[in-house]
Amino acid sequence: MKPRVGIYGLTSCAGDQLVLLNCEDELLDIVAAVDLRSFVMAQSDPAETELDVAFVEGAVAQLRDLRMLQDIRQRAALLVAIGTCATWGGIPALTGENEVAGAKRRVYGSGIKAKPGFFENLPPTPLSRHVKVDLAVPGCPIEPEQLLTGLASLLHGDLPRLPKYPVCAECKMKENSCLLVRDGAACLGPLTVAGCGARCPSLNRPCMGCRGPIEEANYFAEYRRLMELGHDPKEIRLRLQTFAAPAAALEA
Amino acid sequence: MERITVAHLARVEGHGGIDVTLAGDRVADVNFDIFEGSRFFEQLLVGRTWDQVPGIVCRVCAICSAGHYVTALKAVEDALGIKVSPQTEALRELLFLGQMIESHALHLFCLAVPDFLGYGGVIPLANDRPDEVRLGLSLKKLGNELQTAVGGRPVHAVNAIVGGFGKLPDPEVLRSLGRRLGEALEQAPAVVALFASLTVPNHSESPTIYVALEPEGEEFSFFGRRIVASTGETFEVHDYRRVTNETVVGHSHAKHSRLGGRPYMVGSLARLHHWADRLTPRARAVAREIGLTLPTENILYNNHAQAVELVWSLERAAGLIDELLTAGMKEETPVEVVWSEPRKGTAATEVPRGTLYHSYEFDAAGRVTAADIITPTAQNLANVEKDIRACAEKLAGKPDGDLVNNFEMIVRAYDPCISCSVHLIRLA
């Protein structure tokens, strides 16, 4: 029996679902290998049934997201978070608890006439804050290779292995000259989990940290080094928070 | 009173629904509900330095990522008074065209065409008509590879920066892409045959105002500095708020826009409404052969207009690559960016779904103090409701299933990008 699969998006840019649609050469084989029950971005008439695997993109940023996530979790044997928003909160999570009410007022004004519950914004948070997540594949967006090898592992009844080392490891393998050493750039490669093939440093662009942090990231050493290089601590903090605000707040 | 609803629209980017209330044969109310969560991008931008803006705002939406990225670069450069080299302009346009090709191919072949042929999505369509789906996917892939060659990856580019690029693309990669664009153009007759074969209902026909940027040069283009409306009005890009006039409505997390109190349409159909005569002979022939007769007030022809732009973009990209390789790409010295006083910058581009505006204010250190992004989908929302109303009035009394199908086709014709429309908005 083919595994029953659902693909869902909470509040997000839909980039991780798009990465799947961007696997143009593999897409038709993938959909043939699984029993795709729900993928609203690509297909009408979803069947919201029990699932073997649910892939969920996006952050929980409103009541509707939370209810949807809880419902998916109840129905799915395995829940896979895809992308940095689902794993770490991503860019939306920069709007912290104290800021949502103010942002809402500034953007929409105070006297919104709407159905009850319609403008129920929550401080954006990763999935693991609310439900058990069996596997998290970070990336903004996720890397197609990791998605495809991950799918292959799951089809064989195994969880995929994801790198735990930082972007620096991949950057060294490519024999790039280090942007932090060479240019004193605020490169977040030492803290950020690998898997992208050090794409940005290979293009002379400092790592923005879009894949989120490695386990036991040494924030202190990065801060100290960047401050020695003359970077403003406030500026460093903002950059560290861009994609993984909850993690950076915890560690910094 | 009878209510007809589409609780959750499929085959569109993001989360939205339709809610129509009928009183007998009369349409009492039409709501295009937008319940995508808000992400308050303005909150995240304030305090950030100018160089971080493109990389953050491109995350408003994955499908339109390159459009947001390039428009943000142009807005920052507008603030700084930076004029980029013709080489940078050409490479940026290539990145932009890659997105146009990818986005149009995805929308047309995977999301919209299944409706016209009676399928629920691209997967069942692929079972019965594999050649057409493969053609669509191969064009989509080519668009992604263009974006990868210039921007570093297909979703959320990293290589383009204020003033230029982190690293120039590999000429050999461009040469191979140029060759494949040529091969893709040879597939144009298959695109024509598919679109010429579609039966296009006209239930939503109703008077429409079309708004688009005027191309900068003599030829068709997605870049411009003047906004033209089919009412005869023109505006400078810096005055975009006189066009967009955003207001909050109770059933949508995205604001609505009205020009002179009336809804308007932006997108491929609006661009061709104004500038079809500036297309290449090949693209004009495609328009003729697929039966796109302009002007039209039937939004379903936006699909056909996208097909014309798809072919035009393939041709334009091939030409740009040819020019870049003939001239030979040269390493450029990065521009020196100096901030000494508060500045404001605004830019507009024509992205796949219509006119996109980005406007930023910076303090004397180059940190964002205010941001305003107005997306095409947000501008189209009021027009979508107008078209659904016209359709509901015309089809009142028909079975609900017919109505729902037609409503969905109308919404999908706009190729709405709901994440984009509910990104944030302005911080005054």
Side-chain angles (χ1 to χ4, degrees):
Chain A
M1 204 174 69
K2 292 178 184 174
R4 296 158 301 176
V5 170
I7 301 166
Y8 300 93
L10 307 181
T11 295
S12 69
C13 74
D16 306 302
Q17 296 172 81
L18 184 61
V19 167
L20 175 61
L21 292 172
N22 280 351
C23 296
E24 291 95 354
D25 293 337
E26 298 87 5
L27 187 62
L28 298 178
D29 291 336
I30 295 171
V31 297
V34 302
D35 175 1
L36 186 57
R37 295 287 169 100
S38 175
F39 186 10
V40 174
M41 179 171 164
Q43 189 163 290
S44 298
D45 308 320
E48 302 305 354
T49 61
E50 304 264 296
L51 297 169
D52 295 297
V53 191
F55 294 92
V56 183
E57 160 173 13
V60 176
Q62 55 175 343
L63 213 51
R64 187 178 174 279
D65 293 337
L66 182 58
R67 293 202 180 115
M68 198 170 143
L69 177 64
Q70 286 165 338
D71 172 58
I72 295 166
R73 177 68 273 189
Q74 275 194 336
R75 294 188 281 115
L78 277 180
L79 191 147
V80 181
I82 49 171
T84 300
C85 286
T87 308
W88 291 107
I91 282 187
L94 271 176
T95 317
E97 196 122 13
N98 304 326
E99 291 143 4
V100 166
K104 193 171 143 186
R105 200 169 48 246
R106 276 192 292 277
V107 169
Y108 296 116
S110 43
I112 318 168
K113 288 198 191 78
K115 298 182 260 201
F118 191 73
F119 278 87
E120 292 284 351
N121 307 91
L122 300 173
T125 41
L127 309 188
S128 60
R129 191 69 65 83
H130 308 281
V131 297
K132 178 170 172 271
V133 172
D134 299 294
L135 174 72
V137 184
C140 188
I142 50 171
E143 295 295 329
E145 293 74 19
Q146 286 193 344
L147 176 70
L148 293 171
T149 52
L151 275 169
S153 298
L154 289 169
L155 281 169
H156 289 95
D158 212 353
L159 284 180
R161 278 167 177 256
L162 298 170
K164 295 191 165 172
Y165 44 83
V167 170
C168 288
E170 291 179 330
C171 203
K172 292 282 165 288
M173 303 258 274
K174 288 198 149 178
E175 301 186 348
N176 293 330
S177 62
C178 176
L179 298 177
L180 209 155
V181 173
R182 189 190 73 190
D183 305 341
C187 183
L188 303 188
L191 304 176
T192 303
V193 73
C196 55
R199 177 179 289 107
C200 292
S202 305
L203 294 165
N204 297 316
R205 306 280 302 126
C207 171
M208 292 173 75
C210 79
R211 303 180 49 74
I214 45 169
E215 284 173 31
E216 300 181 14
N218 192 343
Y219 287 87
F220 177 72
E222 176 91 6
Y223 256 91
R224 192 180 53 194
R225 184 68 195 123
L226 292 179
M227 278 164 70
E228 282 166 10
L229 288 165
H231 292 278
D232 174 2
K234 212 177 125 215
E235 199 60 41
I236 304 168
R237 191 185 173 79
L238 276 174
R239 283 179 197 261
L240 284 172
Q241 285 178 335
T242 309
F243 290 92
L250 218 70
E251 301 287 337
Chain B
M1 295 281 229
E2 187 198 355
R3 280 181 72 184
I4 300 171
T5 55
V6 179
H8 195 166
L9 274 164
R11 282 182 280 136
V12 298
E13 191 289 323
H15 306 299
I18 306 166
D19 197 346
V20 175
T21 312
L22 299 174
D25 280 355
R26 200 176 59 81
V27 179
D29 203 12
V30 175
N31 284 345
F32 183 15
D33 298 329
I34 301 293
F35 39 76
E36 177 84 26
S38 314
R39 288 170 294 163
F40 302 113
F41 267 76
E42 95 284 11
Q43 190 83 32
L44 333 174
L45 283 171
V46 168
R48 299 261 163 183
T49 49
W50 57 277
D51 56 312
Q52 297 172 71
V53 172
I56 291 178
V57 296
C58 71
R59 263 87 183 181
V60 163
C61 168
I63 299 180
C64 320
S65 176
H68 283 292
Y69 201 105
V70 170
T71 312
L73 285 174
K74 285 173 169 281
V76 175
E77 286 165 358
D78 181 57
L80 285 160
I82 292 173
K83 183 147 174 36
V84 298
S85 70
Q87 173 179 299
T88 292
E89 265 180 24
L91 285 170
R92 264 188 206 166
E93 187 177 350
L94 214 46
L95 172 63
F96 208 85
L97 292 169
Q99 176 200 246
M100 195 66 72
I101 294 165
E102 192 280 329
S103 178
H104 279 0
L106 171 69
H107 174 246
L108 292 175
F109 288 87
C110 301
L111 309 181
V113 162
D115 279 327
F116 288 88
L117 301 175
Y119 291 86
V122 68
I123 296 157
L125 181 66
N127 286 331
D128 293 355
R129 302 181 68 150
D131 292 347
E132 277 137 338
V133 170
R134 274 202 204 100
L135 168 64
L137 290 176
S138 72
L139 293 171
K140 180 174 165 326
K141 184 178 174 188
L142 189 51
N144 277 334
E145 288 183 39
L146 274 171
Q147 295 186 79
T148 305
V150 184
R153 61 177 166 189
V155 179
H156 305 330
V158 297
N159 190 28
I161 53 175
V162 168
F165 283 88
K167 191 176 176 184
L168 289 178
D170 181 346
E172 280 318 304
V173 172
L174 288 190
R175 200 178 311 280
S176 137
L177 284 169
R179 210 166 32 239
R180 289 185 36 219
L181 285 162
E183 289 161 14
L185 275 170
E186 288 168 20
Q187 300 287 315
V191 177
V192 168
L194 174 61
F195 282 86
S197 75
L198 304 180
T199 307
V200 184
N202 62 354
H203 311 308
S204 66
E205 256 177 21
S206 50
T208 304
I209 298 171
Y210 291 108
V211 176
L213 291 177
E214 180 179 17
E216 268 168 345
E218 292 301 302
E219 290 166 25
F220 187 79
S221 166
F222 297 117
F223 301 120
R225 297 176 184 283
R226 233 156 59 102
I227 308 158
V228 176
S230 55
T231 52
E233 294 158 282
T234 59
F235 306 85
E236 293 304 312
V237 162
H238 286 96
D239 287 334
Y240 68 95
R241 286 191 187 181
R242 289 176 54 208
V243 180
T244 56
N245 302 305
E246 287 195 309
T247 51
V248 174
V249 295
H251 59 279
S252 167
H253 290 180
K255 296 180 183 182
H256 277 201
S257 282
R258 280 168 191 276
L259 173 62
R262 292 161 68 195
Y264 62 90
M265 192 265 168
V266 294
S268 294
L269 193 56
R271 292 191 283 258
L272 295 198
H273 175 92
H274 287 288
W275 316 115
D277 56 341
R278 298 200 192 182
L279 290 165
T280 54
R282 187 200 300 259
R284 280 207 302 273
V286 169
R288 201 167 49 242
E289 288 159 19
I290 63 177
L292 175 62
T293 317
L294 296 168
T296 173
E297 292 188 321
N298 182 352
I299 187 61
L300 296 186
Y301 280 105
N302 192 48
N303 296 308
H304 296 63
Q306 285 195 347
V308 173
E309 286 189 341
L310 178 60
V311 173
W312 183 86
S313 298
L314 293 168
E315 196 179 1
R316 173 76 182 162
L320 278 174
I321 289 179
D322 203 33
E323 283 171 30
L324 280 162
L325 293 176
T326 309
M329 286 182 288
K330 294 165 199 75
E331 287 294 340
E332 294 175 338
T333 356
V335 292
E336 190 128 349
V337 175
V338 185
W339 292 87
S340 52
E341 55 186 6
R343 289 167 182 273
K344 182 177 178 176
T346 302
T349 58
E350 286 290 337
V351 292
R353 291 151 193 81
T355 322
L356 171 66
Y357 301 100
H358 279 219
S359 184
Y360 304 100
E361 290 173 40
F362 300 92
D363 67 12
R367 288 197 180 83
V368 175
T369 55
D372 190 19
I373 300 174
I374 299 183
T375 64
T377 295
Q379 293 171 74
N380 276 333
L381 293 175
N383 212 62
V384 173
E385 292 185 354
K386 180 210 71 159
D387 284 347
I388 292 176
R389 178 180 287 271
C391 176
E393 278 168 1
K394 199 154 177 184
L395 297 184
K398 291 257 167 42
D400 285 5
D402 284 2
L403 285 169
V404 164
N405 282 344
N406 279 291
F407 294 165
E408 288 202 49
M409 279 174 80
I410 291 168
V411 175
R412 228 169 261 135
Y414 284 86
D415 189 7
C417 192
I418 294 173
S419 292
C420 262
S421 70
V422 190
H423 47 289
L424 69 135
I425 322 283
R426 82 181 42 128
L427 183 72

